[in-house]
Amino acid sequence: MAVTELPTAGPDGQSATSSTTGAELVQLLTPEGERVHHCDYDIDLTDGQYRELYRDLVLVRRIDIEATALQRQGELGIWAALLGQEAAQVGSGRAMREQDFAFPTYREHGVAWCRGVDPLRLLGLFRGVSNGGWDPQEKRFNLYTIVIGSQTLHATGYAMGITKDGAVGGEDGEAVIAYFGDGASSQGDVNEAFVWASVYNAPVVFFCQNNQWGISTPTANQTRIPLYQRARGFGFPGVRVDGNDVLATYAVTRKALDDARHGQGPTLVEAFTYRMGAHTTSDDPTRYRLASELEAWKLKDPLERMKSFLYKQQLVDSDFFGQLEADADALAARIRKGCLEMPDPDPLSMFDEVYDETTPLLQEQRAAQAEYLAGFAGEAH
Ligand SMILES: Cc1ncc(C[n+]2csc(CCOP(=O)(O)OP(=O)(O)O)c2C)c(N)n1
Ligand SMILES: [Mg+2]
């Protein structure tokens, strides 16, 4: 079928052939910041916890904006912005318990923040001075993965492994969360991961951020049904949540992870959101999407609705916002300074950690590279 014959996404992002209604979108906070209730997913957080979630949203956005600016100034090779996806990431990231393990794509800066990974570690990767960035075990947050969808297989294998270790079942059980995008949902790897996770009842939550674009490809070219409905065909539950609602993403992910840790197998969570920025700093979305689409989604900004909620519930005063702004400024200044101060690595060090032990082929490549670099000796850079 020609691409032009595929259904286009409606204003709410639902496919024209979709049988879903808005009622299937789990939401606890309207775009105006009104608290709504849901029979299956509800949460009752303390005032402090609500404030903390907003704080996370603000600081994560600030990291993203600062990193984008650093790339524009030539300090990072590239940056994959998360603008608009803060609630999906903070809600799901904060829903994780300490013992849980996350397998990210390349855009999960908000989840990294929730896991306690220093943003400078992320910047080191995008600056090209680090081959990985962090110890995955330390924060139970795996390395960023550029090969679309492959981390869903890693996550599933890991989840099958912890089941064999006896780490699943009960309140202290471990659970795994695999992040991926709407574009990745078409990858063979993702579909294979679904099969394995289902058949082996693996304790893994597949968290799809449907930001409606895979670079310049709209979701309508990936699927004719809402993505969360795909789970049913694989034999596990799927749920669509408002990805711009931090309370809903928290509640839905919390339940899915708890189900997994108690031995009830996988869940697919589709966080319905929107990538307000470019795919990466190398991309220009004005070439392929309408400005009106972006304007419509700006009205659903995840930070604004949480801010309205805090105001309406009288959970904050002006001091709170003033202090948060000062904290965001300090964080931005710290990461900017830290980024500029990162030392360049020895170019030959890239051969050091490919394998635990070196191989003859690697030694050969290392020697060739050393000879090549020696050719520049004495030249000014
Ligand atoms: C296996 C593979 N194929 C293609 C690419 C190139 N690529 C990088 S990002 C991307 C789109 C991914 O879209 P999506 O899964 O929706 O994630 P998003 O970037 O929107 O968060 C593609 C095709 C890749 N990195 N890996
Ligand atoms: Mg996408």
Side-chain angles (χ1 to χ4, degrees), residues 67-281:
T68 302
L70 282 163
Q71 194 284 332
R72 286 292 181 246
Q73 291 157 11
E75 298 297 341
L76 300 179
I78 190 171
W79 180 252
L82 60 67
L83 189 68
Q85 299 179 218
E86 296 87 349
Q89 297 198 11
V90 167
S92 60
R94 287 293 175 210
M96 291 178 70
R97 296 186 199 269
E98 203 181 332
Q99 70 267 27
D100 297 342
F101 208 113
F103 287 77
T105 68
Y106 40 81
R107 203 188 290 283
E108 267 65 74
H109 321 314
V111 185
W113 170 258
C114 294
R115 296 309 283 169
V117 176
D118 190 325
L120 276 174
R121 299 289 186 140
L122 311 177
L123 266 58
L125 190 64
F126 288 92
R127 191 173 164 88
V129 302
S130 160
N131 294 327
W134 52 90
D135 174 358
Q137 289 294 346
E138 196 190 329
K139 305 291 184 189
R140 304 188 71 69
F141 182 75
N142 202 43
L143 296 181
Y144 272 3
T145 309
I146 311 288
V147 183
I148 301 299
S150 59
Q151 72 282 0
T152 57
L153 283 173
H154 308 157
T156 301
Y158 186 90
M160 289 164 65
I162 59 174
T163 307
K164 287 187 193 296
D165 289 345
V168 179
E171 200 53 26
D172 296 339
E174 291 178 26
V176 178
I177 184 165
Y179 288 88
F180 65 105
D182 46 293
S185 70
S186 300
Q187 287 289 110
D189 281 6
V190 175
N191 290 271
E192 288 162 20
F194 285 1
V195 170
W196 283 83
S198 175
V199 170
Y200 284 88
N201 207 41
V204 55
V205 175
F206 294 108
F207 193 91
C208 177
Q209 286 168 85
N210 179 359
N211 63 13
Q212 304 186 52
W213 292 93
I215 315 184
S216 56
T217 305
T219 318
N221 287 13
Q222 311 284 357
T223 183
R224 296 193 70 128
I225 59 165
L227 285 172
Y228 79 96
Q229 290 182 1
R230 285 212 181 146
R232 197 165 165 215
F234 290 92
F236 54 89
V239 52
R240 177 179 265 191
V241 61
D242 185 336
N244 286 19
D245 173 351
V246 71
L247 302 185
T249 54
Y250 176 90
V252 167
T253 314
R254 188 93 181 175
K255 180 170 186 317
L257 284 168
D258 284 347
D259 286 351
R261 86 179 72 260
H262 281 99
Q264 291 174 41
T267 302
L268 169 62
V269 176
E270 178 193 0
F272 197 77
T273 183
Y274 190 73
R275 190 195 76 206
M276 289 206 280
H279 170 69
T280 66
T281 46

Side-chain angles (χ1 to χ4, degrees), residues 352-363:
D352 294 346
E353 287 165 281
V354 180
Y355 301 114
D356 197 23
E357 292 173 17
T358 189
T359 66
L361 181 61
L362 266 182
Q363 282 173 316

